[in-house]
Amino acid sequence: MLDRHSFRGIYVIVVTPFTASHELDEPALRRTMEFCLAAGVHGVVANALASEGFYLSEAERRRAAEIVVGAAAGKVPSIIAVSAPHASLAVHHARHAESIGADAIMALPPLLHPASVNEIKAYYREISAATSLPLVLQNALVPGATTMSAALIAELVHELPNARFVKEESGYPAQTVGDIIRLAGHRLEGVMGGKAGKTFMEELRHGVSGTMPACEIADVHVALWNAIEAGDHQKARGIFQRLLPLLDLEASYGMPLMKEVLHMRGVIGSTAVRQTGFRALDQAAREEALTIMDDLAEFMLPAYAHRR
């Protein structure tokens, strides 16, 4: 179960692999978890945005959670994203997460349509009351989710006994992190950044306890964190600067880029995605991704070297 000591470092969002016919690929999901653990991540998150969680059936969502929690057990904390359009659905996901031994749950505000402050409070109260697991409040600037103010997040942290953690990735995430920490005070046990880690270095100046990127370059993110923890600021800055071009490609191509990279690294067999709204990589984009990865190779696990 999470506490302020364990909610630190690189918590990766585990990508959900599909077969070429868009079925849940359980063996590839297990291989993805093997890669994440070998990379030295400090925690894992299932069924979140970068997991294509909202593109999974109810049965698939439960199964993916079970595989991730089972693989992480005894190694690193596991968080299950339970976000949903209504609290009754999120509660269902939260109870399942607790029943399978997850260490925490994470939830965006109610999805699909804008939610009022009172609706957001009621939603989180129901989730909080349904489980004894720690609750990570996720604040993101994404379609269908209402962005919360730092003041509202702090209010929820003070009110709800298990809402002690935050993932912040709204419009100005680094400054918002600072506002949340200042307003929430000692009740808050940790804030992590998101946005693939693109604003991580600025967020560190405001007190984040880590970041939650997608998992395709987990080993590079861990190398960055290790340099930060060692106080080697020059090395950390160098890794970050070399990592940024790939994160920029991820911002452009989204899920297709994440899965292309995992495929290039031999982790998954298919690059099939269910998420809509992004273009597939063409050969030029693949070559650019490979060139960037060449520059990051020294921070990557040799067993997962990318293939040209």
Short mmCIF file of all heavy atoms in Angstrom, two decimals, residues 89-153:
data_model
loop_
_atom_site.label_atom_id
_atom_site.label_comp_id
_atom_site.label_asym_id
_atom_site.label_seq_id
_atom_site.Cartn_x
_atom_site.Cartn_y
_atom_site.Cartn_z
N LEU A 89 -19.76 3.37 -11.55
CA LEU A 89 -18.84 2.57 -12.36
C LEU A 89 -17.43 2.58 -11.77
O LEU A 89 -16.77 1.54 -11.71
CB LEU A 89 -18.81 3.10 -13.79
CG LEU A 89 -20.15 3.12 -14.53
CD1 LEU A 89 -20.01 3.83 -15.87
CD2 LEU A 89 -20.67 1.71 -14.72
N ALA A 90 -16.98 3.75 -11.34
CA ALA A 90 -15.65 3.85 -10.73
C ALA A 90 -15.57 3.01 -9.46
O ALA A 90 -14.54 2.38 -9.18
CB ALA A 90 -15.32 5.30 -10.44
N VAL A 91 -16.63 3.01 -8.67
CA VAL A 91 -16.68 2.21 -7.45
C VAL A 91 -16.53 0.73 -7.78
O VAL A 91 -15.82 -0.02 -7.10
CB VAL A 91 -17.99 2.48 -6.69
CG1 VAL A 91 -18.27 1.37 -5.66
CG2 VAL A 91 -17.92 3.84 -6.00
N HIS A 92 -17.19 0.29 -8.84
CA HIS A 92 -17.09 -1.11 -9.27
C HIS A 92 -15.63 -1.47 -9.59
O HIS A 92 -15.12 -2.50 -9.15
CB HIS A 92 -17.98 -1.31 -10.50
CG HIS A 92 -17.96 -2.69 -11.07
ND1 HIS A 92 -18.53 -3.78 -10.44
CD2 HIS A 92 -17.41 -3.18 -12.21
CE1 HIS A 92 -18.35 -4.86 -11.17
NE2 HIS A 92 -17.68 -4.53 -12.24
N HIS A 93 -14.96 -0.59 -10.33
CA HIS A 93 -13.55 -0.83 -10.66
C HIS A 93 -12.68 -0.81 -9.40
O HIS A 93 -11.74 -1.61 -9.27
CB HIS A 93 -13.06 0.22 -11.64
CG HIS A 93 -13.78 0.25 -12.95
ND1 HIS A 93 -14.11 -0.89 -13.64
CD2 HIS A 93 -14.24 1.30 -13.70
CE1 HIS A 93 -14.75 -0.56 -14.76
NE2 HIS A 93 -14.83 0.75 -14.82
N ALA A 94 -12.99 0.11 -8.48
CA ALA A 94 -12.18 0.26 -7.27
C ALA A 94 -12.29 -0.98 -6.39
O ALA A 94 -11.28 -1.46 -5.83
CB ALA A 94 -12.62 1.49 -6.50
N ARG A 95 -13.48 -1.52 -6.25
CA ARG A 95 -13.66 -2.71 -5.42
C ARG A 95 -12.94 -3.92 -6.03
O ARG A 95 -12.37 -4.73 -5.30
CB ARG A 95 -15.16 -2.99 -5.24
CG ARG A 95 -15.82 -1.99 -4.29
CD ARG A 95 -17.31 -2.17 -4.21
NE ARG A 95 -17.90 -1.31 -3.18
CZ ARG A 95 -19.17 -0.95 -3.14
NH1 ARG A 95 -20.02 -1.39 -4.08
NH2 ARG A 95 -19.62 -0.17 -2.18
N HIS A 96 -12.95 -4.00 -7.36
CA HIS A 96 -12.22 -5.09 -8.00
C HIS A 96 -10.73 -4.92 -7.76
O HIS A 96 -10.02 -5.90 -7.45
CB HIS A 96 -12.51 -5.12 -9.50
CG HIS A 96 -11.72 -6.17 -10.24
ND1 HIS A 96 -10.64 -5.84 -11.03
CD2 HIS A 96 -11.83 -7.51 -10.26
CE1 HIS A 96 -10.13 -6.95 -11.53
NE2 HIS A 96 -10.83 -7.98 -11.09
N ALA A 97 -10.22 -3.70 -7.88
CA ALA A 97 -8.80 -3.44 -7.65
C ALA A 97 -8.39 -3.87 -6.25
O ALA A 97 -7.34 -4.49 -6.05
CB ALA A 97 -8.49 -1.96 -7.87
N GLU A 98 -9.22 -3.55 -5.26
CA GLU A 98 -8.89 -3.94 -3.89
C GLU A 98 -8.94 -5.46 -3.73
O GLU A 98 -8.08 -6.04 -3.04
CB GLU A 98 -9.85 -3.27 -2.91
CG GLU A 98 -9.50 -3.53 -1.47
CD GLU A 98 -10.17 -2.57 -0.50
OE1 GLU A 98 -11.20 -1.97 -0.87
OE2 GLU A 98 -9.64 -2.42 0.63
N SER A 99 -9.89 -6.11 -4.39
CA SER A 99 -10.05 -7.56 -4.24
C SER A 99 -8.88 -8.34 -4.81
O SER A 99 -8.61 -9.46 -4.37
CB SER A 99 -11.36 -8.01 -4.91
OG SER A 99 -11.24 -8.02 -6.33
N ILE A 100 -8.16 -7.77 -5.78
CA ILE A 100 -7.04 -8.49 -6.40
C ILE A 100 -5.69 -8.09 -5.82
O ILE A 100 -4.65 -8.57 -6.27
CB ILE A 100 -7.03 -8.30 -7.94
CG1 ILE A 100 -6.81 -6.83 -8.31
CG2 ILE A 100 -8.32 -8.85 -8.55
CD1 ILE A 100 -6.66 -6.60 -9.82
N GLY A 101 -5.70 -7.20 -4.83
CA GLY A 101 -4.46 -6.87 -4.14
C GLY A 101 -3.71 -5.68 -4.66
O GLY A 101 -2.50 -5.53 -4.40
N ALA A 102 -4.36 -4.78 -5.40
CA ALA A 102 -3.70 -3.55 -5.85
C ALA A 102 -3.29 -2.71 -4.64
O ALA A 102 -3.88 -2.82 -3.56
CB ALA A 102 -4.64 -2.75 -6.76
N ASP A 103 -2.31 -1.86 -4.84
CA ASP A 103 -1.81 -1.03 -3.75
C ASP A 103 -2.50 0.33 -3.67
O ASP A 103 -2.42 1.00 -2.64
CB ASP A 103 -0.30 -0.82 -3.90
CG ASP A 103 0.46 -2.12 -3.73
OD1 ASP A 103 0.57 -2.59 -2.58
OD2 ASP A 103 0.91 -2.68 -4.74
N ALA A 104 -3.15 0.74 -4.75
CA ALA A 104 -3.85 2.03 -4.77
C ALA A 104 -4.73 2.09 -6.01
O ALA A 104 -4.61 1.25 -6.92
CB ALA A 104 -2.85 3.19 -4.77
N ILE A 105 -5.59 3.08 -6.05
CA ILE A 105 -6.41 3.37 -7.23
C ILE A 105 -6.17 4.81 -7.64
O ILE A 105 -5.72 5.63 -6.84
CB ILE A 105 -7.90 3.12 -6.97
CG1 ILE A 105 -8.38 3.93 -5.75
CG2 ILE A 105 -8.19 1.63 -6.78
CD1 ILE A 105 -9.88 3.88 -5.53
N MET A 106 -6.48 5.12 -8.88
CA MET A 106 -6.33 6.48 -9.41
C MET A 106 -7.56 6.83 -10.22
O MET A 106 -8.08 5.99 -10.97
CB MET A 106 -5.08 6.58 -10.27
CG MET A 106 -4.80 7.98 -10.82
SD MET A 106 -3.17 8.12 -11.62
CE MET A 106 -3.47 7.26 -13.17
N ALA A 107 -8.04 8.06 -10.09
CA ALA A 107 -9.24 8.44 -10.82
C ALA A 107 -9.19 9.89 -11.28
O ALA A 107 -8.86 10.79 -10.50
CB ALA A 107 -10.49 8.23 -9.95
N LEU A 108 -9.55 10.09 -12.55
CA LEU A 108 -9.88 11.41 -13.06
C LEU A 108 -11.24 11.81 -12.52
O LEU A 108 -12.01 10.96 -12.06
CB LEU A 108 -9.94 11.37 -14.58
CG LEU A 108 -8.63 11.25 -15.35
CD1 LEU A 108 -8.89 10.68 -16.74
CD2 LEU A 108 -7.94 12.60 -15.44
N PRO A 109 -11.62 13.09 -12.61
CA PRO A 109 -13.02 13.47 -12.33
C PRO A 109 -13.96 12.77 -13.31
O PRO A 109 -13.50 12.18 -14.30
CB PRO A 109 -13.01 14.99 -12.55
CG PRO A 109 -11.60 15.40 -12.40
CD PRO A 109 -10.79 14.25 -12.92
N PRO A 110 -15.26 12.79 -13.07
CA PRO A 110 -16.21 12.11 -13.97
C PRO A 110 -16.02 12.54 -15.42
O PRO A 110 -15.83 13.72 -15.71
CB PRO A 110 -17.59 12.50 -13.43
CG PRO A 110 -17.35 13.58 -12.44
CD PRO A 110 -15.95 13.47 -11.97
N LEU A 111 -16.08 11.55 -16.31
CA LEU A 111 -15.69 11.75 -17.71
C LEU A 111 -16.88 12.02 -18.63
O LEU A 111 -18.03 11.89 -18.24
CB LEU A 111 -14.93 10.52 -18.20
CG LEU A 111 -13.62 10.24 -17.48
CD1 LEU A 111 -13.17 8.82 -17.76
CD2 LEU A 111 -12.56 11.22 -17.91
N LEU A 112 -16.56 12.36 -19.86
CA LEU A 112 -17.43 12.56 -21.02
C LEU A 112 -18.05 13.95 -21.09
O LEU A 112 -18.05 14.58 -22.13
CB LEU A 112 -18.55 11.50 -21.07
CG LEU A 112 -18.08 10.05 -21.23
CD1 LEU A 112 -19.30 9.13 -21.36
CD2 LEU A 112 -17.17 9.89 -22.43
N HIS A 113 -18.60 14.46 -19.96
CA HIS A 113 -19.21 15.78 -19.98
C HIS A 113 -18.63 16.62 -18.85
O HIS A 113 -18.19 16.08 -17.83
CB HIS A 113 -20.73 15.68 -19.84
CG HIS A 113 -21.40 15.04 -21.01
ND1 HIS A 113 -21.63 15.71 -22.19
CD2 HIS A 113 -21.87 13.79 -21.20
CE1 HIS A 113 -22.22 14.90 -23.05
NE2 HIS A 113 -22.37 13.72 -22.48
N PRO A 114 -18.64 17.94 -18.98
CA PRO A 114 -18.12 18.79 -17.90
C PRO A 114 -18.85 18.53 -16.59
O PRO A 114 -20.07 18.31 -16.57
CB PRO A 114 -18.40 20.22 -18.41
CG PRO A 114 -18.48 20.08 -19.90
CD PRO A 114 -19.08 18.73 -20.16
N ALA A 115 -18.12 18.53 -15.50
CA ALA A 115 -18.69 18.28 -14.18
C ALA A 115 -18.53 19.52 -13.31
O ALA A 115 -17.50 20.19 -13.36
CB ALA A 115 -18.01 17.08 -13.53
N SER A 116 -19.54 19.81 -12.51
CA SER A 116 -19.47 20.93 -11.58
C SER A 116 -18.60 20.54 -10.39
O SER A 116 -18.30 19.36 -10.16
CB SER A 116 -20.87 21.30 -11.08
OG SER A 116 -21.38 20.26 -10.25
N VAL A 117 -18.22 21.53 -9.59
CA VAL A 117 -17.43 21.26 -8.39
C VAL A 117 -18.17 20.31 -7.47
O VAL A 117 -17.59 19.35 -6.94
CB VAL A 117 -17.09 22.58 -7.68
CG1 VAL A 117 -16.53 22.30 -6.29
CG2 VAL A 117 -16.08 23.39 -8.49
N ASN A 118 -19.47 20.53 -7.29
CA ASN A 118 -20.24 19.66 -6.40
C ASN A 118 -20.32 18.24 -6.95
O ASN A 118 -20.27 17.26 -6.17
CB ASN A 118 -21.64 20.22 -6.18
CG ASN A 118 -21.63 21.44 -5.27
OD1 ASN A 118 -20.70 21.63 -4.48
ND2 ASN A 118 -22.66 22.27 -5.36
N GLU A 119 -20.44 18.10 -8.27
CA GLU A 119 -20.47 16.76 -8.86
C GLU A 119 -19.13 16.05 -8.71
O GLU A 119 -19.09 14.84 -8.45
CB GLU A 119 -20.85 16.86 -10.34
CG GLU A 119 -22.32 17.22 -10.57
CD GLU A 119 -22.64 17.55 -12.02
OE1 GLU A 119 -21.74 18.07 -12.73
OE2 GLU A 119 -23.78 17.32 -12.43
N ILE A 120 -18.05 16.79 -8.86
CA ILE A 120 -16.72 16.20 -8.68
C ILE A 120 -16.53 15.75 -7.23
O ILE A 120 -16.05 14.64 -6.97
CB ILE A 120 -15.63 17.21 -9.08
CG1 ILE A 120 -15.67 17.45 -10.60
CG2 ILE A 120 -14.25 16.73 -8.65
CD1 ILE A 120 -14.78 18.57 -11.07
N LYS A 121 -16.95 16.58 -6.28
CA LYS A 121 -16.82 16.21 -4.87
C LYS A 121 -17.63 14.95 -4.56
O LYS A 121 -17.14 14.04 -3.88
CB LYS A 121 -17.27 17.37 -3.98
CG LYS A 121 -16.34 18.55 -3.95
CD LYS A 121 -16.89 19.63 -3.03
CE LYS A 121 -15.96 20.82 -2.94
NZ LYS A 121 -16.51 21.89 -2.05
N ALA A 122 -18.87 14.91 -5.06
CA ALA A 122 -19.72 13.74 -4.79
C ALA A 122 -19.12 12.47 -5.38
O ALA A 122 -19.17 11.39 -4.77
CB ALA A 122 -21.12 14.00 -5.34
N TYR A 123 -18.57 12.59 -6.56
CA TYR A 123 -17.94 11.46 -7.27
C TYR A 123 -16.79 10.90 -6.45
O TYR A 123 -16.71 9.69 -6.18
CB TYR A 123 -17.49 11.97 -8.63
CG TYR A 123 -16.60 11.11 -9.47
CD1 TYR A 123 -17.12 10.15 -10.35
CD2 TYR A 123 -15.22 11.30 -9.46
CE1 TYR A 123 -16.29 9.40 -11.17
CE2 TYR A 123 -14.38 10.55 -10.28
CZ TYR A 123 -14.93 9.60 -11.13
OH TYR A 123 -14.10 8.87 -11.95
N TYR A 124 -15.89 11.76 -6.02
CA TYR A 124 -14.74 11.29 -5.27
C TYR A 124 -15.13 10.79 -3.88
O TYR A 124 -14.51 9.86 -3.34
CB TYR A 124 -13.68 12.39 -5.17
CG TYR A 124 -12.81 12.52 -6.39
CD1 TYR A 124 -12.74 13.72 -7.10
CD2 TYR A 124 -12.04 11.46 -6.85
CE1 TYR A 124 -11.93 13.85 -8.22
CE2 TYR A 124 -11.23 11.56 -7.96
CZ TYR A 124 -11.18 12.76 -8.65
OH TYR A 124 -10.37 12.88 -9.76
N ARG A 125 -16.15 11.37 -3.29
CA ARG A 125 -16.61 10.87 -1.98
C ARG A 125 -17.09 9.43 -2.08
O ARG A 125 -16.80 8.61 -1.21
CB ARG A 125 -17.74 11.77 -1.45
CG ARG A 125 -17.27 13.10 -0.89
CD ARG A 125 -18.45 14.03 -0.64
NE ARG A 125 -18.02 15.36 -0.20
CZ ARG A 125 -18.71 16.47 -0.40
NH1 ARG A 125 -19.90 16.41 -1.02
NH2 ARG A 125 -18.25 17.63 0.03
N GLU A 126 -17.82 9.12 -3.15
CA GLU A 126 -18.31 7.75 -3.32
C GLU A 126 -17.16 6.77 -3.54
O GLU A 126 -17.16 5.67 -2.97
CB GLU A 126 -19.30 7.68 -4.49
CG GLU A 126 -20.66 8.27 -4.20
CD GLU A 126 -21.68 7.87 -5.25
OE1 GLU A 126 -21.79 6.67 -5.57
OE2 GLU A 126 -22.37 8.78 -5.76
N ILE A 127 -16.20 7.16 -4.35
CA ILE A 127 -15.05 6.29 -4.58
C ILE A 127 -14.28 6.08 -3.28
O ILE A 127 -13.92 4.95 -2.92
CB ILE A 127 -14.12 6.87 -5.66
CG1 ILE A 127 -14.85 6.99 -7.00
CG2 ILE A 127 -12.87 6.01 -5.81
CD1 ILE A 127 -14.06 7.73 -8.06
N SER A 128 -14.03 7.16 -2.57
CA SER A 128 -13.27 7.09 -1.33
C SER A 128 -13.94 6.18 -0.31
O SER A 128 -13.28 5.40 0.39
CB SER A 128 -13.09 8.49 -0.75
OG SER A 128 -12.42 8.46 0.49
N ALA A 129 -15.26 6.26 -0.22
CA ALA A 129 -16.00 5.48 0.77
C ALA A 129 -16.08 4.00 0.41
O ALA A 129 -16.33 3.16 1.28
CB ALA A 129 -17.42 6.04 0.92
N ALA A 130 -15.84 3.67 -0.85
CA ALA A 130 -16.03 2.29 -1.33
C ALA A 130 -14.83 1.40 -1.09
O ALA A 130 -14.93 0.18 -1.23
CB ALA A 130 -16.37 2.31 -2.81
N THR A 131 -13.67 1.98 -0.74
CA THR A 131 -12.45 1.18 -0.64
C THR A 131 -11.53 1.77 0.42
O THR A 131 -11.56 2.97 0.69
CB THR A 131 -11.71 1.14 -1.99
OG1 THR A 131 -10.47 0.46 -1.84
CG2 THR A 131 -11.44 2.53 -2.53
N SER A 132 -10.72 0.90 0.99
CA SER A 132 -9.71 1.37 1.95
C SER A 132 -8.40 1.70 1.26
O SER A 132 -7.45 2.17 1.90
CB SER A 132 -9.47 0.30 3.02
OG SER A 132 -8.94 -0.89 2.42
N LEU A 133 -8.31 1.45 -0.06
CA LEU A 133 -7.07 1.71 -0.79
C LEU A 133 -6.78 3.21 -0.86
O LEU A 133 -7.70 4.03 -0.96
CB LEU A 133 -7.16 1.16 -2.21
CG LEU A 133 -7.15 -0.35 -2.38
CD1 LEU A 133 -7.29 -0.70 -3.86
CD2 LEU A 133 -5.89 -0.97 -1.81
N PRO A 134 -5.50 3.60 -0.86
CA PRO A 134 -5.15 4.99 -1.15
C PRO A 134 -5.69 5.41 -2.51
O PRO A 134 -5.71 4.62 -3.46
CB PRO A 134 -3.62 4.98 -1.14
CG PRO A 134 -3.25 3.80 -0.32
CD PRO A 134 -4.31 2.78 -0.56
N LEU A 135 -6.12 6.66 -2.60
CA LEU A 135 -6.72 7.20 -3.81
C LEU A 135 -5.82 8.29 -4.37
O LEU A 135 -5.49 9.27 -3.68
CB LEU A 135 -8.11 7.77 -3.50
CG LEU A 135 -8.80 8.61 -4.57
CD1 LEU A 135 -9.02 7.81 -5.85
CD2 LEU A 135 -10.13 9.15 -4.04
N VAL A 136 -5.42 8.12 -5.63
CA VAL A 136 -4.62 9.13 -6.34
C VAL A 136 -5.59 9.98 -7.16
O VAL A 136 -6.30 9.47 -8.03
CB VAL A 136 -3.58 8.49 -7.27
CG1 VAL A 136 -2.74 9.57 -7.96
CG2 VAL A 136 -2.68 7.53 -6.49
N LEU A 137 -5.64 11.27 -6.89
CA LEU A 137 -6.48 12.20 -7.64
C LEU A 137 -5.72 12.60 -8.90
O LEU A 137 -4.63 13.16 -8.82
CB LEU A 137 -6.79 13.44 -6.81
CG LEU A 137 -7.43 13.20 -5.44
CD1 LEU A 137 -7.53 14.51 -4.66
CD2 LEU A 137 -8.82 12.58 -5.58
N GLN A 138 -6.29 12.32 -10.07
CA GLN A 138 -5.62 12.65 -11.33
C GLN A 138 -6.24 13.90 -11.93
O GLN A 138 -7.45 13.96 -12.15
CB GLN A 138 -5.71 11.49 -12.33
CG GLN A 138 -4.95 11.76 -13.63
CD GLN A 138 -5.00 10.59 -14.61
OE1 GLN A 138 -5.70 9.61 -14.38
NE2 GLN A 138 -4.26 10.68 -15.69
N ASN A 139 -5.40 14.87 -12.21
CA ASN A 139 -5.86 16.14 -12.79
C ASN A 139 -5.19 16.30 -14.15
O ASN A 139 -3.97 16.43 -14.23
CB ASN A 139 -5.46 17.30 -11.87
CG ASN A 139 -6.15 18.60 -12.24
OD1 ASN A 139 -7.30 18.60 -12.68
ND2 ASN A 139 -5.46 19.71 -12.06
N ALA A 140 -5.98 16.25 -15.22
CA ALA A 140 -5.39 16.22 -16.56
C ALA A 140 -6.17 17.09 -17.53
O ALA A 140 -7.39 17.25 -17.41
CB ALA A 140 -5.35 14.79 -17.09
N LEU A 141 -5.46 17.63 -18.49
CA LEU A 141 -6.06 18.41 -19.57
C LEU A 141 -6.25 17.47 -20.75
O LEU A 141 -5.43 17.41 -21.65
CB LEU A 141 -5.15 19.59 -19.93
CG LEU A 141 -5.71 20.65 -20.87
CD1 LEU A 141 -6.90 21.36 -20.23
CD2 LEU A 141 -4.63 21.66 -21.23
N VAL A 142 -7.32 16.69 -20.72
CA VAL A 142 -7.61 15.71 -21.77
C VAL A 142 -9.08 15.81 -22.14
O VAL A 142 -9.91 16.24 -21.33
CB VAL A 142 -7.28 14.28 -21.32
CG1 VAL A 142 -5.79 14.12 -21.09
CG2 VAL A 142 -8.05 13.89 -20.06
N PRO A 143 -9.44 15.42 -23.37
CA PRO A 143 -10.84 15.48 -23.78
C PRO A 143 -11.74 14.66 -22.86
O PRO A 143 -11.40 13.53 -22.48
CB PRO A 143 -10.81 14.87 -25.20
CG PRO A 143 -9.42 15.08 -25.68
CD PRO A 143 -8.56 14.97 -24.46
N GLY A 144 -12.85 15.25 -22.48
CA GLY A 144 -13.83 14.55 -21.66
C GLY A 144 -13.62 14.61 -20.18
O GLY A 144 -14.44 14.11 -19.41
N ALA A 145 -12.52 15.21 -19.74
CA ALA A 145 -12.25 15.32 -18.30
C ALA A 145 -12.28 16.78 -17.88
O ALA A 145 -11.77 17.65 -18.58
CB ALA A 145 -10.90 14.71 -17.96
N THR A 146 -12.87 17.05 -16.75
CA THR A 146 -12.91 18.41 -16.20
C THR A 146 -11.64 18.67 -15.41
O THR A 146 -11.28 17.90 -14.52
CB THR A 146 -14.13 18.57 -15.28
OG1 THR A 146 -15.32 18.25 -16.01
CG2 THR A 146 -14.23 20.00 -14.75
N THR A 147 -10.95 19.74 -15.74
CA THR A 147 -9.73 20.09 -15.01
C THR A 147 -10.09 20.71 -13.66
O THR A 147 -10.96 21.57 -13.58
CB THR A 147 -8.88 21.07 -15.82
OG1 THR A 147 -8.58 20.49 -17.10
CG2 THR A 147 -7.57 21.39 -15.11
N MET A 148 -9.41 20.27 -12.63
CA MET A 148 -9.67 20.76 -11.27
C MET A 148 -8.67 21.86 -10.90
O MET A 148 -7.52 21.84 -11.33
CB MET A 148 -9.56 19.62 -10.26
CG MET A 148 -10.59 18.52 -10.45
SD MET A 148 -10.48 17.22 -9.18
CE MET A 148 -8.99 16.35 -9.69
N SER A 149 -9.11 22.79 -10.08
CA SER A 149 -8.21 23.81 -9.55
C SER A 149 -7.37 23.21 -8.43
O SER A 149 -7.75 22.20 -7.81
CB SER A 149 -9.00 25.00 -9.01
OG SER A 149 -9.73 24.62 -7.84
N ALA A 150 -6.24 23.84 -8.16
CA ALA A 150 -5.41 23.40 -7.05
C ALA A 150 -6.18 23.48 -5.74
O ALA A 150 -6.03 22.62 -4.86
CB ALA A 150 -4.14 24.24 -6.98
N ALA A 151 -7.03 24.50 -5.61
CA ALA A 151 -7.80 24.66 -4.38
C ALA A 151 -8.78 23.50 -4.18
O ALA A 151 -8.96 23.00 -3.06
CB ALA A 151 -8.55 25.99 -4.41
N LEU A 152 -9.43 23.06 -5.27
CA LEU A 152 -10.36 21.93 -5.16
C LEU A 152 -9.62 20.65 -4.81
O LEU A 152 -10.08 19.87 -3.96
CB LEU A 152 -11.13 21.76 -6.47
CG LEU A 152 -12.05 20.54 -6.56
CD1 LEU A 152 -13.05 20.51 -5.42
CD2 LEU A 152 -12.76 20.50 -7.91
N ILE A 153 -8.48 20.42 -5.44
CA ILE A 153 -7.69 19.23 -5.13
C ILE A 153 -7.28 19.24 -3.66
O ILE A 153 -7.40 18.22 -2.96
CB ILE A 153 -6.46 19.15 -6.04
CG1 ILE A 153 -6.88 18.91 -7.49
CG2 ILE A 153 -5.49 18.06 -5.57
CD1 ILE A 153 -5.77 19.04 -8.50
#
